[in-house]
Amino acid sequence: MSEVIVRNRQELDVAMKSKSELITIEGDLAKKLQKAKKISKLSKAGLAILTATLGVAAAPVAAITGVEIAAIIAASALGIALVLAIFKEYDEVSYNDGKLKLKRKKE
């Protein structure tokens, strides 16, 4: 099982495209993904509302979708598509001290 350590979005993109079994994300990227993870659990309707209103203030979107403002801001900064792709393809193993460990889901 190969493990890849990433610290930025470009490294994460490469790790995902190469279908790494284990990915450890460190630093600010890990913190943002941890906050944005809640976005991946939204219903299709919630996602539609979120994407349609990203240019608007986060507070009304949070009230409608039930997602924290911090998660909305983090997901917006990273890209909703990236957040959804990560948590669709990988399970969170752990999050500790700014390190997010992910394991690829079985196909």
Side-chain angles (χ1 to χ4, degrees):
M1 211 180 286
S2 65
E3 181 175 4
V4 178
I5 297 173
V6 300
R7 292 174 188 87
N8 60 51
R9 172 132 184 210
Q10 292 77 19
E11 292 173 348
L12 179 58
D13 287 340
V14 170
M16 288 182 65
K17 285 179 185 169
S18 66
K19 298 185 179 188
S20 298
E21 288 294 315
L22 292 170
I23 301 175
T24 298
I25 304 166
E26 296 182 341
D28 193 46
L29 181 59
K31 292 174 189 171
K32 286 180 182 175
L33 277 171
Q34 182 64 22
K35 286 180 186 173
K37 182 172 95 172
K38 293 177 183 172
I39 298 297
S40 68
K41 297 180 186 338
L42 282 176
S43 66
K44 288 181 182 179
L47 282 172
I49 291 167
L50 179 64
T51 55
T53 57
L54 276 179
V56 183
V61 177
I64 294 169
T65 62
V67 175
E68 296 171 358
I69 293 172
I72 294 169
I73 293 169
S76 298
L78 292 170
I80 304 275
L82 174 68
V83 173
L84 294 175
I86 288 170
F87 292 106
K88 179 181 177 190
E89 295 178 28
Y90 289 86
D91 287 319
E92 180 179 332
V93 175
S94 65
Y95 178 76
N96 197 359
D97 295 327
K99 289 184 181 181
L100 176 62
K101 291 190 179 270
L102 303 172
K103 182 177 180 182
R104 187 164 176 79
K105 293 180 180 180
K106 302 289 182 196
E107 291 185 31

